[in-house]
Amino acid sequence: MLWDNVCNKIQAQIGEAEFKSWIKPLVFKSIDNDIVCIECPSLFIKNWLEANLVRTLENCLTSCLPDLKTVHIKLIVNSNRKNKEENNTTPAIPATDPGSSQNLDTRYTFDNFVVGKPNELAYAAAQKIAESQKVQFNPLFLYGGVGLGKTHLMHAIANRIKQANPKRRVVYLSAEQFMYEFIKAIRSKDTMSFKAQFRNIDVLMVDDVQFFSTANATQEEFFHTFNVLIDNNKQIIISADKSPSDLENIEERLKSRMNWGLVADIHPTTYELRLGILQNKVERSEYSVPNTVLEFLACKITSNVRELEGALNRVMAHAELVGKDIDLDLVIYALKDVLKAQEKIITVGDIQERVSEYYGLKRSDLKSACRRKSISRPRQMAMYFCKQMTPMSLPEIGREFGGKDHTSVLYAVNNVEKLRKLDPHFSQELDTLLRMLNAS
Ligand code: ADP
Ligand code: MG
């Protein structure tokens, strides 16, 4: 019963295709206090879940278990199948019919994709492809880190094309599904019909090609499919976490083909984009969330959009559960695990070191009274980070910067906030430094 509820919830969140691939094969085993034990059919699925879905799963479980504040999932591999599957990393993905649009997730559209500097090129290219009748660049190669919107854009293209012309055959597959389907066809000695499936399509999308395993028959097959489609002037869209040239495991000739069309990268998010995404999500929800909360989340959850959305969902679910309005206290409570995981103890020394290093200054420059912009700007940024990331008071921070007055620190903090809003270049540098500090 509980597991059924969790399944319904998670399917609503991740869509049917992902649900079928990753959640359906799981077996609920036991629950002991706040530890929920779940069995996976293979190590491959376990690893994938750990990297991608465990948090979402935990959130769904938590929201179905009102007595528990948090739940931890323990994934185990079914030992009967373990040995067999460890040598064979084929995921247990259910059969797909590339001709149908069952793989398409209609929740991912252009309308709910928030555009900012980091993703504007990818967005523009995706829109162009979705809207033009002629093939303009082939293939479109989208790349960027996890959770930055590649899959979202691919589905948005497919949905837009299907909407304008339901007859067009748009096929979306993950690289794993492509491999799986192909291997299955080889096993059943039916590669002919596998090939035939791709003959009559208009648009082929293959997501996450970094998961193609080392050069083998699958890549060979993909290469041929790819060539046939390009020769017939059919659109191909590919995504990966790296640029074509940086992909390991991929044959040279395939890499060079992927470089032919337009290569568009999605950069890590900036503060502005994160805030925009949060505002957009809130507007589409029934919750009211104060801006201070959104700013707090945009500042704290810098990893990627998926995590950011996850945090917001968690806050909303928590508010619903305890029947309270969303404010900072509630957020800090609901996200204490997430925040703790992100929180590293960062000292004034760390901040001064990173900032001076980044701008090629000496640490003593930051403590000096020099008013030259090349020094005063980094100094102000360092003070700003100290205010944001350490528990120190303004006078304490001032003391660490060569005995400055608390009003100078306050001025620095305000000035940085002002510039962050006005100057995109500045804002980007601030974000880079923030990420460097969080990663150090
Ligand atoms: P990727 O495929 O690059 O790993 P996804 O496309 O799965 O990332 O994005 C992760 C989540 O973040 C999805 O729920 C997606 O809708 C959301 N997302 C990513 N970028 C944006 C954006 N610019 N605007 C709105 N939502 C976004
Ligand atoms: Mg993806």
Side-chain angles (χ1 to χ4, degrees):
M1 250 325 258
L2 164 71
W3 185 241
D4 289 341
N5 286 344
V6 173
C7 284
N8 290 340
K9 268 211 162 86
I10 196 158
Q11 182 170 1
Q13 280 189 34
I14 64 177
E16 196 176 317
E18 293 233 334
F19 176 79
K20 275 196 184 153
S21 305
W22 306 111
I23 305 294
K24 202 141 178 257
L26 305 181
V27 181
F28 176 81
K29 289 308 250 193
S30 63
I31 173 162
D32 179 11
N33 289 322
D34 62 346
I35 307 281
V36 175
C37 186
I38 293 172
E39 187 182 85
C40 313
S42 72
L43 186 63
F44 177 87
I45 293 197
K46 174 175 183 276
N47 290 343
W48 191 93
L49 286 168
E50 274 164 358
N52 297 283
L53 268 184
V54 156
R55 253 273 161 87
T56 319
L57 205 53
E58 284 178 347
N59 289 344
C60 286
L61 267 160
T62 312
S63 64
C64 293
L65 289 166
D67 293 343
L68 293 177
K69 287 203 201 76
T70 51
V71 164
H72 299 284
I73 287 181
K74 189 170 154 208
L75 295 173
I76 52 167
V77 177
N78 180 342
S79 51
N80 293 336
R81 295 211 235 158
K82 192 174 166 195
N83 293 339
K84 203 175 89 212
E85 300 237 356
E86 263 174 354
N87 304 326
N88 167 11
T89 48
T90 308
I93 290 172
T96 34
D97 166 12
S100 82
S101 46
Q102 66 170 23
N103 267 348
L104 296 183
D105 191 328
T106 49
R107 289 168 316 155
Y108 292 150
T109 63
F110 284 117
D111 289 343
N112 60 21
F113 189 86
V114 181
V115 189
K117 262 253 153 326
N119 57 25
E120 65 186 2
L121 174 66
Y123 179 83
Q127 236 190 357
K128 188 117 208 155
I129 285 189
E131 260 147 32
S132 63
Q133 301 297 324
K134 288 205 308 275
V135 172
Q136 312 237 352
F137 23 77
N138 213 0
L140 168 63
F141 189 99
L142 293 173
Y143 78 92
V146 183
L148 296 181
K150 303 180 294 293
T151 301
H152 187 133
L153 279 179
M154 291 176 116
H155 285 279
I157 298 174
N159 288 325
R160 175 71 58 86
I161 294 178
K162 279 277 182 195
Q163 197 182 19
N165 185 352
K167 290 224 176 68
R168 289 193 75 193
R169 290 173 51 100
V170 181
V171 171
Y172 167 90
L173 285 167
S174 66
E176 288 152 324
Q177 282 170 322
F178 188 93
M179 268 192 320
Y180 176 73
E181 291 296 318
F182 181 63
I183 291 168
K184 208 174 65 180
I186 293 183
R187 284 196 188 138
S188 59
K189 304 199 168 41
D190 193 14
T191 49
M192 287 303 281
S193 52
F194 176 82
K195 286 182 208 293
Q197 291 178 323
F198 293 98
R199 282 286 141 72
N200 304 318
I201 65 181
D202 297 303
V203 182
L204 174 66
M205 305 185 180
V206 183
D207 204 353
D208 287 323
V209 296
Q210 75 274 10
F211 290 135
F212 270 146
S213 37
T214 348
N216 60 13
T218 317
Q219 274 189 40
E220 178 88 24
E221 184 56 33
F222 179 62
F223 185 70
H224 288 307
T225 308
F226 188 103
N227 287 338
V228 170
L229 291 172
I230 297 238
D231 287 347
N232 289 313
N233 213 20
K234 308 293 187 193
Q235 182 71 54
I236 296 182
I237 302 159
I238 295 168
S239 87
D241 65 350
K242 301 179 197 66
S243 74
S245 339
D246 288 340
L247 283 171
E248 294 137 21
N249 292 346
I250 302 276
E251 277 182 66
E252 280 310 321
R253 58 177 187 166
L254 189 50
K255 283 192 201 175
S256 85
R257 279 290 159 106
M258 293 197 212
N259 254 322
W260 270 9
L262 181 74
V263 177
D265 58 340
I266 306 185
H267 295 272
T269 56
T270 56
Y271 172 81
E272 278 68 31
L273 182 61
R274 291 194 293 276
L275 192 60
I277 290 171
L278 290 169
Q279 280 162 343
N280 181 277
K281 290 246 346 162
V282 170
E283 274 163 29
R284 287 164 189 273
S285 78
E286 60 210 61
Y287 294 87
S288 98
V289 185
N291 243 328
T292 45
V293 165
L294 300 182
E295 284 164 9
F296 176 80
L297 291 175
C299 200
K300 287 284 181 188
I301 318 272
T302 54
S303 43
N304 66 49
V305 183
R306 190 173 295 138
E307 303 265 318
L308 191 66
E309 282 186 337
L312 184 64
N313 288 339
R314 197 149 154 174
V315 167
M316 288 172 168
H318 191 85
E320 173 99 28
L321 207 62
V322 297
K324 283 199 191 143
D325 287 342
I326 297 174
D327 60 13
L328 263 184
D329 286 342
L330 183 133
V331 170
I332 290 167
Y333 188 76
L335 297 181
K336 57 181 184 305
D337 301 348
V338 183
L339 295 174
K340 209 191 288 159
Q342 302 238 337
E343 208 124 291
K344 297 191 193 72
I345 297 173
I346 290 170
T347 63
V348 176
D350 298 333
I351 293 173
Q352 290 179 339
E353 193 175 311
R354 283 280 149 164
V355 174
S356 53
E357 194 179 74
Y358 185 83
Y359 288 103
L361 303 173
K362 292 195 292 287
R363 251 172 91 171
S364 56
D365 292 332
L366 297 181
K367 300 186 180 190
S368 73
C370 174
R371 285 163 178 269
R372 218 178 318 132
K373 197 166 143 193
S374 59
I375 291 177
S376 69
R377 192 53 70 72
R379 182 189 301 128
Q380 291 183 351
M381 291 164 93
M383 288 177 170
Y384 168 83
F385 286 128
C386 291
K387 181 76 193 83
Q388 298 289 336
M389 306 175 92
T390 75
M392 293 174 86
S393 67
L394 297 175
E396 282 168 335
I397 296 172
R399 239 170 279 146
E400 298 284 338
F401 284 82
K404 303 212 169 36
D405 197 63
H406 78 275
T407 52
S408 324
V409 183
L410 186 62
Y411 173 80
V413 172
N414 289 338
N415 198 37
V416 168
E417 261 162 12
K418 193 177 83 200
L419 286 169
R420 179 163 86 178
K421 294 204 179 93
L422 295 177
D423 179 350
H425 179 71
F426 176 83
S427 156
Q428 211 163 7
E429 269 183 31
L430 200 68
D431 230 78
T432 309
L433 271 165
L434 179 68
R435 242 176 298 117
M436 283 166 59
L437 282 165
N438 275 328
S440 59

